[in-house]
């Protein structure tokens, strides 16, 4: 009869099985080849002497010579009868135990039976289990009486590969370890081959790839290989080409199907995605290795990867190319195409890095500006109209171009942005010139108070009487003056107020939008801030401002004068955030109106230290002031004395400069005729320059004084217009005459227009101003390869979407409207709401609909409720009004179906 060679693992399993029943056992006989050269072994802290015995006599001699307390194991190939009863009686149990691996395996796992799936060719599994799997680990893996094939293979995978399961996902997870698969090279060749063959059978085509890589000792490269596979095969729609052949050789396979390569990529990406949050250093290692491998094999489609740095670069480049093509009127792209291009950059994991966030944000601003450039131009007929148009659209342009000015590290992308900025600047210059002309006329003969109120226009000297005093009659007020904060800066800051517990409110009368302040002239601190705080046209320094604010009779409420604190008096001593007198003033016993001046923005003009983003927490003690005011139930009003323009000269130098004359950085006494970039400002609101008035430029890159980071004093809307915004703490009743009024971004900001970009650009693209240098040398050729864009249908016209007319003429509409009360749904309002929804992609906030449709925000919810009853035929949600989210969604496919409008959309 044939017997097995003994191993330490097999001996150990049998010893444990005996000791579990008979802990006092002293000697055990095992049927095995009588060969052993490894000496004593230790089994569960028990020292075991192993002695090979080739004859009955040798067994008797070994037993006779036994000394000490060590457990004796005799290895012999003898039958029980060969030894005799007296010898067998010395062993526990009194027989020669067979050395059967599967029996030992059953004992290892604590089961009685084996799965029928185990066959003759699976002996390697038993050897692997007994050699590499501990008893403690094995006993946790079975809960029944049968050891299944899956559990056995998973146990081997855990011990040999470091993977909890023998499947592709688990092995790729294991590949993320710092030293993956180090055990695999040390295992017996038979076990190694059997394990990898099992992986191939269980994992199919993908298992074949992973097993082959492991067989080639490239297991540590599995994750980088998977990441690169995306750049070779995409989502399975690319054939791989030569790069695919090189990747196949790397994996050790003859053929890697595109679908399999894409599947490998998906799993590798999931591993790295997890590492982004659990071990960023390890994730960075994989990204670097993948980048090197991608370059080595010449992966041709990095843009398909959400992880490769080259893919991030290519996505930005493609989006920039789309913008350039739009400027050249060579693209049939739509806003959706631009939005998709920006979203693809946002989807890339490098978007989450500091540099990636900045580059994505710059691209997003560029896409928005490309949209704006294609919108039709118009010329404001009045100063109030110019103010409204600037606040609603061009202020957002100035915010975007300020951010975009910092460009991109890719010089080609930066050149695209520069070209876009040229087009934007040319159009904004025309708007600024018109604004300055209207300002000059308005300053000489301002519109009536009623006209200003209807447009939401407030001279800064009227803010105290028309805004602070009425609000102060119902609740205490904190008045924040952000020195130098124009509208572009404030529209970036305003949404952040909700993060500190405030909600914006607007007057129910007039425009029902945020009010806009007009600075005193020229737009410098000594006149405009003094006038804002005094409540009348004034001029003076900080001490004068404090006295004038306290003397302002409109702010003397409940017999208490208003109190003003400049920035240098806000901070407290060590251990406190605010000065004691500021804390007291903001408390319950303090004045009804407390004013604070924060100079952070204006100070940055001198130093040129503007950050890429403007945040509340960077504005000195503002967040602490807001938190304290909220605690005491104070309404907050935020305004400014003037805005500013940044020093953004064309080639990074000093910008356009003109010396001579008397005045400031951006204004001069009008002792000469204005040049073609200046206007003369005269009137009672012009407090410097005497009767002749002042000269003020409308070019935003022009200065009279020394170079600085930015300037104010000129006649651009960036400098002249300031916010007058009111915010109420959460949980506080709205003041009488005020309503919630979230501000709405323009359509182009959301990358939505009703026509293709090229069609619009042909009509309205401004001609850029002449430049001294070419952006790109002629020999360099095209900046990027312009992508081919499939024209998208443009079903929207000036009359609205093509389905709108047929809808209102349909029999179903007439029946539905009649059942829901005809008087509540006038056609003009229905058209305005549905057209507004269509312009915003059929999803819009209630606030956006109110702004776009012209229906007051207080009346719109009721109107939408009735409109939904009419449109939602048979209960289908054609129009979904989500009151909790404040969002309205229109399903055009459902509308077409329910109202039988086939062929109209």
């Amino acid at each position: 009869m044939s017997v097995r060679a003994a191993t330490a693992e097999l001996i150990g399993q049998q010893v444990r099985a005996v000791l579990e029943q008979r802990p006092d056992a002293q000697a055990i006989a095992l049927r095995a080849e009588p060969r052993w050269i490894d000496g004593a072994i230790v089994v569960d802290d028990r020292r075991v002497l192993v002695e090979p015995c080739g004859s009955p006599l040798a067994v008797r001699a070994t037993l006779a010579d036994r000394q000490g307390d060590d457990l004796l194991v005799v290895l012999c190939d003898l039958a029980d009868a060969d030894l005799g009863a007296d010898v067998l009686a010395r062993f526990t149990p009194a027989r020669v135990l067979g050395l059967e691996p599967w029996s030992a395996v059953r004992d290892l796992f604590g089961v009685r039976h084996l799965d029928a799936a185990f066959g003759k060719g699976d002996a390697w599994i038993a050897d692997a289990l007994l050699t590499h799997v501990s008893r403690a680990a094995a006993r946790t893996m079975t809960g029944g009486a049968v050891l299944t094939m899956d559990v056995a293979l998973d146990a081997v995978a855990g011990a040999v590969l470091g993977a909890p399961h023998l499947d592709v996902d688990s092995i790729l997870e294991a590949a993320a370890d710092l030293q993956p698969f180090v055990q695999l090279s040390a295992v017996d060749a038979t076990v190694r081959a059997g394990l990898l063959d099992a992986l191939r059978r269980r994992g199919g085509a993908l298992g074949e790839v992973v097993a082959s890589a492991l067989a080639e000792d490239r297991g540590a490269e599995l994750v980088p290989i998977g990441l690169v596979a995306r750049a070779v095969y995409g989502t399975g729609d690319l054939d791989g080409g030569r790069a695919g052949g090189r990747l196949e050789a790397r994996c050790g396979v003859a053929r890697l199907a595109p679908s399999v390569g894409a599947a490998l990529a998906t799993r590798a990406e999931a591993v790295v995605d997890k590492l982004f949050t659990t071990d960023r250093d390890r994730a960075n290692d994989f990204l670097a290795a993948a980048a090197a491998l991608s370059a080595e094999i010449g992966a041709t489609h990095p843009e398909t990867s959400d992880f490769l740095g080259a893919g991030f670069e290519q996505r930005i480049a493609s989006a920039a190319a789309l913008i350039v093509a739009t400027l050249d009127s060579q693209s049939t792209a739509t806003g959706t195409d631009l939005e998709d291009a920006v979203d693809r950059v946002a989807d890339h994991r490098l978007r989450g890095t500091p540099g990636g966030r900045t580059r994505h944000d710059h691209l997003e601003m560029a896409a928005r500006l490309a949209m704006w450039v294609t919108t039709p131009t118009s010329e404001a007929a009045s100063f109030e109209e110019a103010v409204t148009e600037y606040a609603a659209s061009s202020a957002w342009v100035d915010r975007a171009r300020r951010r975009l000015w910092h460009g991109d590290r890719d010089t080609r992308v930066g050149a695209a942005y520069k070209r876009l900025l040229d087009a934007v600047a040319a159009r904004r210059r025309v708007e600024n010139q018109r604004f300055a002309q209207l300002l000059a006329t308005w300053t000489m003969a301002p519109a009536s108070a009623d006209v200003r109120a209807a447009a939401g226009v407030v001279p800064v000297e009227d803010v105290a009487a028309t805004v602070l005093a009425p609000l102060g009659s119902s609740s205490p007020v904190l008045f924040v003056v952000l020195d130098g904060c124009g509208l572009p800066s404030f529209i970036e800051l305003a949404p952040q107020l909700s993060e500190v517990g405030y909600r914006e409110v607007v007057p129910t009368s007039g425009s029902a939008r945020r009010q806009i302040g007009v600075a005193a002239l020229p737009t410098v601190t000594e006149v405009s801030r003094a006038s804002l705080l005094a409540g009348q046209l004034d001029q003076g320094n900080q001490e004068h401002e404090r006295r004038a604010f306290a003397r302002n009779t409109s702010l003397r409420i409940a017999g208490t004068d208003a109190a003003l604190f400049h920035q240098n008096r806000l901070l407290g001593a060590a251990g406190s955030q605010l000065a004691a007198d500021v804390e007291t003033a903001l408390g319950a016993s303090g004045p009804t109106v407390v004013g604070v001046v924060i100079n952070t923005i204006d100070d940055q003009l001198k130093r040129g230290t503007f950050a890429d983003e403007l945040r509340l927490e960077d504005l000195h003690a503002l967040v602490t002031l807001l938190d304290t005011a909220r605690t005491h139930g104070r309404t907050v009003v935020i305004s400014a004395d003037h805005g500013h323009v940044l020093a953004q000269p064309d080639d990074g130098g000093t910008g356009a400069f003109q010396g001579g004359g008397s005045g400031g950085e951006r204004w001069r006494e009008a002792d000469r005729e204005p040049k073609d970039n200046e206007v003369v400002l005269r009137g009672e609101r012009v407090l410097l320059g005497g009767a002749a008035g002042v000269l003020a430029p409308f070019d935003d890159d022009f200065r009279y004084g020394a170079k600085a980071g930015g300037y104010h004093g000129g006649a651009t809307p960036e400098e002249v217009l300031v916010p007058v915004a009111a915010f109420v703490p959460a949980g506080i009743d709205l003041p009488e005459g005020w309503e919630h009024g979230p501000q709405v971004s323009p359509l182009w900001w959301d990358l939505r227009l009703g026509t293709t970009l090229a069609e619009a650009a042909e009509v309205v693209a401004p001609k850029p101003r002449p430049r001294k240098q070419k952006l790109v040398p002629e020999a360099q050729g095209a900046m990027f390869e312009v992508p081919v864009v499939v024209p998208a249908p443009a079903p929207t016209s000036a009359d609205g979407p093509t389905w709108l007319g047929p809808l209102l003429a349909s029999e179903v509409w007439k029946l539905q409207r009649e059942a829901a009360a005809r008087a509540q749904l006038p056609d003009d309002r229905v058209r305005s709401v549905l057209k507004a929804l269509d312009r915003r992609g059929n999803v819009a906030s209630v606030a956006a609909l109110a702004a776009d449709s012209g229906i007051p925000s207080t009346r719109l919810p009721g109107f939408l409720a009735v409109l939904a009853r009419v449109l939602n035929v048979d209960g289908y949600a054609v129009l979904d009004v989500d009151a909790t989210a404040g969002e309205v969604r229109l399903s055009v496919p459902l509308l077409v179906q329910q109202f039988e409008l086939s062929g109209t959309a």
Side-chain angles (χ1 to χ4, degrees), residues 503-514 734 737-744 829 833 845-865 881 886 888:
R503 188 170 182 179
E504 188 166 4
V505 295
V506 297
T508 54
S509 59
S511 65
R513 294 181 181 178
R514 180 186 299 150
L734 295 183
W738 295 75
E739 63 179 319
H740 290 306
Q743 301 306 298
V744 179
R829 290 198 168 185
V833 167
S845 67
V846 174
L849 280 185
D852 291 355
S853 67
I855 301 176
S857 58
T858 53
R859 298 181 182 179
L860 184 57
F863 178 83
L864 290 173
V881 182
V888 182

Side-chain angles (χ1 to χ4, degrees), residues 90 127 186 387 412 472 520 528 701 818:
R90 303 278 301 272
D127 290 341
V387 171
R412 299 170 305 163
S528 196
D701 60 353
E818 190 167 328

Side-chain angles (χ1 to χ4, degrees), residues 561-573:
D561 292 340
L564 178 67
F565 300 90
H566 286 84
Q567 180 167 294
N568 57 6
R569 294 182 55 199
L570 293 176
L571 299 182

Side-chain angles (χ1 to χ4, degrees), residues 13-293:
Q13 294 300 329
Q14 287 289 32
V15 168
R16 290 188 188 93
V18 172
L19 292 179
E20 279 187 357
Q21 303 297 322
R22 293 285 300 276
D24 58 343
Q26 298 297 311
I28 301 172
L30 298 179
R31 183 170 291 108
E33 292 181 6
R35 291 187 294 106
W36 188 258
I37 60 173
D38 294 339
I41 64 174
V42 177
V43 178
D44 296 344
D45 298 328
R46 184 83 180 264
R47 190 167 185 267
V48 178
L49 295 176
V50 182
E51 294 291 345
C53 299
S55 66
L57 183 60
V59 174
R60 289 177 181 273
T62 297
L63 289 171
D65 294 340
R66 180 182 181 278
Q67 295 179 355
D69 296 328
D70 293 338
L71 177 64
L72 174 65
V73 170
V74 171
L75 303 179
C76 64
D77 57 355
L78 304 171
D80 289 354
D82 295 332
L83 295 178
D86 61 327
V87 173
L88 292 176
R90 303 278 301 272
F91 293 114
T92 305
R95 57 188 175 87
V96 181
L97 299 175
L99 203 59
E100 168 53 49
W102 287 112
S103 176
V105 166
R106 287 195 296 269
D107 177 65
L108 175 68
F109 283 89
V111 299
R112 297 176 60 188
H113 304 288
L114 296 176
D115 192 339
F118 290 107
K120 292 182 178 180
D122 295 326
W124 69 268
I125 299 178
D127 290 341
L129 291 171
L130 295 172
T131 304
H132 300 289
V133 179
S134 71
R135 190 178 187 85
R139 290 297 174 96
T140 65
M141 299 185 70
T142 54
V146 178
L147 175 64
T148 66
M149 176 69 81
D150 287 343
V151 169
L153 290 176
D154 287 348
V156 178
V160 176
L161 299 176
H165 303 288
L166 187 63
D167 58 42
V168 170
D169 290 326
S170 297
I171 292 172
L172 281 170
E173 287 278 357
D177 293 341
L178 287 175
Q179 292 183 314
F181 315 122
V182 292
Q183 289 289 106
L184 184 61
S185 59
V187 302
D188 179 82
T190 302
V191 172
R192 176 186 175 103
L195 184 61
L196 296 183
D197 284 343
L199 175 59
R200 291 183 174 96
R201 291 193 302 271
R202 302 181 94 194
L206 190 53
E208 170 67 31
V209 175
V210 174
S212 297
L214 290 171
E216 295 286 329
D217 289 327
R218 295 192 183 277
E221 299 178 32
L222 272 172
V223 173
I225 287 172
L227 294 179
V228 174
R230 180 70 71 203
V232 175
Y233 300 107
T235 58
D237 55 335
L238 304 173
D239 63 11
R242 292 182 178 179
R246 298 185 185 106
L247 198 62
E248 290 166 350
R250 194 81 169 200
C251 296
V253 295
R255 166 68 174 155
L256 181 55
S259 60
V260 177
L264 177 64
T266 298
R267 285 156 174 80
E269 289 167 351
V271 171
V272 178
D273 215 16
K274 182 178 179 181
L275 288 175
F276 268 97
T277 56
T278 61
D279 189 346
R280 186 56 186 263
D281 289 339
R282 188 68 176 143
N284 290 340
D285 289 340
F286 282 135
L287 294 180
L293 178 59

Side-chain angles (χ1 to χ4, degrees), residues 347-411:
D347 289 341
H348 200 283
R349 295 305 180 272
L350 291 187
R351 160 71 170 82
T353 65
R357 282 193 296 272
T358 297
R359 298 183 72 194
H360 166 266
D361 292 349
H362 289 180
L363 174 64
E364 187 174 47
M365 293 300 177
R368 287 164 169 167
L369 290 176
M371 291 292 290
W372 175 76
V373 164
T374 66
T375 60
T377 58
S378 62
E379 185 174 282
S382 67
F383 178 69
E384 283 75 19
E385 184 177 326
V387 171
T388 300
E389 290 180 358
Y390 183 77
S393 183
S394 295
W396 298 76
V397 174
D398 288 340
R399 172 189 171 186
R401 66 177 179 148
R402 173 174 296 187
R403 177 76 65 85
L404 188 59
W405 189 264
H406 297 289
D408 192 87
R409 74 183 189 196
D410 185 324
T411 56

Side-chain angles (χ1 to χ4, degrees), residues 10 342 403 595 834:
L10 286 171
V342 175
R403 177 76 65 85
L834 294 181

Side-chain angles (χ1 to χ4, degrees), residues 440-656:
T441 302
W442 187 84
T443 302
M444 292 286 292
S448 67
D450 290 343
V451 172
R452 296 198 304 267
V457 174
V458 185
V460 291
E461 63 270 22
D462 292 345
V463 169
T466 63
V467 180
L468 298 181
L471 285 171
S473 65
S474 58
S475 68
V477 175
L478 170 64
F479 181 39
V480 179
V481 179
L482 298 178
D483 198 320
C485 182
L487 296 186
S489 297
F490 189 71
I491 59 177
E492 186 171 4
L493 289 171
Q496 301 174 39
L497 269 293
S498 64
E499 298 175 16
V500 290
Y502 287 90
R503 188 170 182 179
E504 188 166 4
V505 295
V506 297
T508 54
S509 59
S511 65
R513 294 181 181 178
R514 180 186 299 150
Q515 295 176 284
I516 306 300
V518 182
L521 302 172
T523 51
V524 294
T525 301
E526 65 180 289
V527 298
S528 196
R529 194 170 78 190
S531 300
L532 173 67
L533 295 170
Q536 61 184 11
L537 293 171
D538 202 356
Q539 181 179 352
N541 58 19
Q542 287 190 11
E543 184 58 37
H544 176 82
E545 290 171 354
R546 280 196 292 272
R547 292 195 302 268
F549 195 68
R551 290 196 304 264
N552 191 334
T553 56
S554 65
L555 303 183
R556 185 175 296 125
I557 301 172
T560 305
D561 292 340
L564 178 67
F565 300 90
H566 286 84
Q567 180 167 294
N568 57 6
R569 294 182 55 199
L570 293 176
L571 299 182
S576 58
Q577 291 186 308
L578 294 178
D581 53 347
V582 177
E583 288 269 13
T584 300
L586 291 174
S589 60
T592 300
V593 179
V594 176
V596 296
V597 176
I598 293 180
N599 302 100
T600 304
I601 295 175
D602 200 48
D603 289 344
Q604 290 173 338
L605 297 177
K606 302 177 181 64
R607 300 188 297 269
T609 54
F610 288 94
D612 209 41
E613 297 179 67
L614 196 58
R615 303 180 300 177
L616 290 179
E617 56 265 38
D618 295 332
L619 300 180
H620 198 63
L622 179 58
V623 170
T624 302
L625 290 164
L626 293 171
D627 288 342
T628 305
R630 187 186 67 250
T631 299
H632 295 291
R634 285 183 177 266
T635 297
V636 172
V637 176
I638 301 179
S639 190
D641 48 355
H642 55 75
H644 63 270
V645 293
L646 293 185
Q648 295 180 338
D650 289 345
D651 38 320
T654 59

